[in-house]
Amino acid sequence: MMMQMNQQFDLAFNFLQNTGTHLFLTGKAGTGKTTFLKRLKEVSPKRMIVVAPTGVAAINAGGVTIHSFFQLPFGPYLPSASREADQAKNFTNKFSRDKINIIRSMDLLVIDEVSMVRADLLDAISDVLCRYKDRTKPFGGVQLLLIGDLQQLAPVAKDDEWNLLKEHYPSTFFFDSKALSESNYYCIELTKVYRQNDSTFISLLNNIRENRFDEETLNSLNQRYIPDFAPDDQQGYITLTTHNYQAQQLNNRKLAELPGKSYTFNAEINNDFPEYSYPTDNQLELKNGAQVMFVKNDSSGEHRYYNGKIGKIVFINPNKITVVGEDGNEIQVERETWTNVKYTINPDTKEITETVAGTFSQYPLKTAWAITIHKSQGLTFEHAIIDASAAFSHGQVYVALSRCKTLEGLVLSSPITRNAMIKDMRIQEFTSSVTDKQPGKEQLEQAQQQYYLELVIELFNFASIQQRLQYAAYTVYTHLQKLYPELNTQYANTRDAFRSVITEVGGRFQQQLTRMISGNPDYQQDETIQERVRKGVAYFIERIDSLCTSLEENSAVEIDNKESRKAVNNAISKFTEELHLKQETLKACVDGFSVVRYLSAKAKASIEPPASAKKRSERSSQPAKVTVSSDVLHPELYNSIKRWRYELATEKGLPPYTILQQKALLGIVNTLPSNSRELLAIPGIGKKVIENYGSVLLELVEEYKKQ
């Protein structure tokens, strides 16, 4: 469906591009929500993931299901006061490194068909994001775009599930999620209807949508009740039913009544394409004369058909299907291919990339004398027969009626009663508050400035690094104070110095920039602000380098005790990762602050491990070390190497252990290595020691052996 961008589209787009504010994009059926998403995916520079509650919705949105991406169990998710403890119970599946990197680096999460997403599922999503991003913010600080229409299909909760959830939530609807309630978000309602052009019909649908179901509306609607209506097969009427078995029975009966041979077409399925996401039948049975519906937009670019177009088969054989649409045009139908996407990190660019996990190839058709209201969501029909007498949930009748382009193309097989118009008061309350959450140009400008300020402040906020350093110092003190007293002292001194010359100075810097940016309409072009940023960046890069470089280098120590090694390595890794992230974002702003540059650097740094982590990984993959006696078996050699170490350390102005650890010295003395391989097997000796001092150490050993 082609349409011009309107003012609401532009406003929504600007919010998503230039702010970090959550957005609920809603609108009547046919207002172009799907088109907006497609456009956003094409042009947005933000690192985006698209998810949906069902397999078919995910395929249509070009994304993945919520449960598969976040690896969530089916069933209720109970919020807890202690989220950390709750996570241990609820997140039993281990995430791959690639999945963690995607989550850590994402800017925007799009949830399509959010009306079907339960509140507890949204909270589960928030907890996963907090787990891998920012634990202090709902949804881990990731921006949300929620797309859907609350007047359409509602989330499903069985009685036993709701009995558990009702103690925590006022309703099952997404807007009652605890994480969303703690978040600021705006609602933008698309109002221009592209599906219907009939003003009377549009007005009638609006009355139903807004629960203004008066006698006049009821009478107007029930004029379309035609008892025993028998449509002409040429007109392409489709029946919308409330239950799947009703639709299946009608389609099977109609197909069986047709004369002639039936043909079965098998889908070609490659790799990972789950059954719940099949867009049509795996084994598609068709006959000449069958009424069919296209289940995909024409991929040829010729716009011969679209998802939901009704037609009739006029020729069929094992290799060819010809369909005539309602417009009388013949269509030679070819197989189409649907893709099941998977998100990965491009190893070269570090961008989030959509890759094809699997494909489903089949004729884009299904028998279509009938379809369920649920499966009709998002489709448009010229002619429809609606059987809503057995409506059982909120929004069903509205969804069914709004599939039609015109009131004249609509036929009711039974009268619509007030009882069929099932409304949920919780939705009515929320819908009435949407107007208050509608932003304008002023709110956009405020949100944009606030976003800019938040990111600049984040750049000069060193509190998280200070916390990691504090914990690393404590861990080194707990496990290594006796084994490596100099390292223990260095961590304590660095912790204190970092606080005074970086963290505290950064706090004052944040206050200054807040004053300069707040209330300044020209904040993005203000050269005084940019100059202040440049000077601040230069200062902190230099101070971090002078304080932390030697600390990272000296932290590469051998630890025999497994428990101590795990605790120390974990604490130091978390510190170096946080430090690396800050260093890379500071470097990105050497020439001034830019939102795009900052976000890009932050995303890439959260994926790429720091060099020190790579070194630790390399060390862990080295050959197993030999067992060394604690006794000094060759005292003369011991004194010789110890003297050499002392002299070199004095010359370099370094602690002796940074040249050669004590356990490494003992290992050389007791094993008498004759080559680099034997030297590498000694605890405390890695590739760096061999590279710098290997030849000298082997010479000292060889000289001792000759004596």
Side-chain angles (χ1 to χ4, degrees), residues 622-625 675-683 685-687 690:
Q622 289 172 10
K625 302 293 186 180
N675 54 51
S676 295
R677 185 171 183 81
E678 291 176 4
L679 196 61
L680 191 61
I682 295 170
I685 293 186
K687 291 179 180 178
I690 292 188

Side-chain angles (χ1 to χ4, degrees), residues 302-315:
E302 297 176 16
H303 307 292
R304 298 170 300 163
Y305 55 85
Y306 53 85
N307 187 16
K309 181 180 178 73
I310 301 295
K312 182 180 178 181
I313 295 176
V314 293
F315 179 85

Side-chain angles (χ1 to χ4, degrees), residues 604-630:
K604 289 179 180 178
S606 65
I607 294 168
E608 294 177 329
S612 53
K614 291 178 182 175
K615 288 176 184 175
R616 278 194 295 276
S617 176
E618 287 169 4
R619 285 200 306 276
S620 66
S621 62
Q622 289 172 10
K625 302 293 186 180
V626 298
T627 303
V628 178
S629 169
S630 58

Side-chain angles (χ1 to χ4, degrees), residues 32 56 109 137 198 208 210 250 274 419 527 529 535 539 560:
V56 174
L109 175 66
K137 298 176 181 175
D198 181 349
I208 297 170
E210 295 161 14
L250 181 56
N419 292 336
E527 182 54 31
I529 294 173
K535 286 184 176 179
Y539 169 87
D560 288 335

Side-chain angles (χ1 to χ4, degrees), residues 118 241 314 329 414 477 615:
R118 279 194 338 214
T241 68
V314 293
N329 294 328
S414 57
Y477 169 78
K615 288 176 184 175

Side-chain angles (χ1 to χ4, degrees), residues 197-236:
N197 296 312
D198 181 349
S199 59
T200 304
F201 190 33
I202 290 172
S203 175
L204 187 149
L205 290 173
N206 285 344
N207 286 349
I208 297 170
R209 176 185 174 85
E210 295 161 14
N211 206 27
R212 292 186 278 112
F213 203 63
D214 54 23
E215 287 301 319
E216 186 180 347
T217 301
L218 193 64
N219 291 335
S220 298
L221 188 59
N222 280 326
Q223 285 178 11
R224 299 305 304 159
Y225 167 54
I226 306 174
D228 303 318
F229 178 72
D232 185 334
D233 285 346
Q234 303 303 316
Q235 293 178 300

Side-chain angles (χ1 to χ4, degrees), residues 64-185:
V64 297
T65 66
I66 293 170
H67 285 87
S68 66
F69 182 81
F70 291 103
Q71 296 176 209
L72 297 170
F74 290 94
Y77 180 85
L78 302 180
S80 167
S82 174
R83 285 287 167 89
E84 299 251 348
D86 208 41
Q87 285 170 7
K89 291 184 293 183
N90 286 281
F91 303 113
T92 54
N93 294 339
K94 286 190 175 180
F95 282 44
S96 67
R97 174 49 56 184
D98 209 41
K99 179 66 70 68
I100 292 170
N101 285 338
I102 290 170
I103 293 173
R104 290 184 68 181
S105 66
M106 72 192 287
D107 302 313
L108 175 64
L109 175 66
V110 180
I111 305 179
D112 198 21
E113 301 289 7
V114 74
S115 70
M116 293 189 285
V117 176
R118 279 194 338 214
D120 61 311
L121 183 56
L122 203 57
D123 281 341
I125 292 170
S126 177
D127 282 355
V128 173
L129 294 174
C130 289
R131 181 185 179 194
Y132 293 110
K133 284 185 71 73
D134 189 339
R135 294 178 182 272
T136 66
K137 298 176 181 175
F139 304 100
V142 174
Q143 185 181 21
L144 297 185
L145 168 61
L146 309 173
I147 303 176
D149 182 5
L150 282 166
Q151 303 303 333
Q152 300 194 32
L153 299 174
V156 177
K158 299 173 184 174
D159 289 344
D160 58 337
E161 292 176 330
W162 177 237
N163 286 335
L164 292 171
L165 293 171
K166 66 183 181 183
E167 297 181 20
H168 304 275
Y169 298 100
S171 79
T172 58
F173 296 107
F174 76 90
F175 52 77
D176 279 325
S177 115
K178 296 188 180 298
L180 193 63
S181 302
E182 295 166 5
S183 308
N184 294 319
Y185 65 97

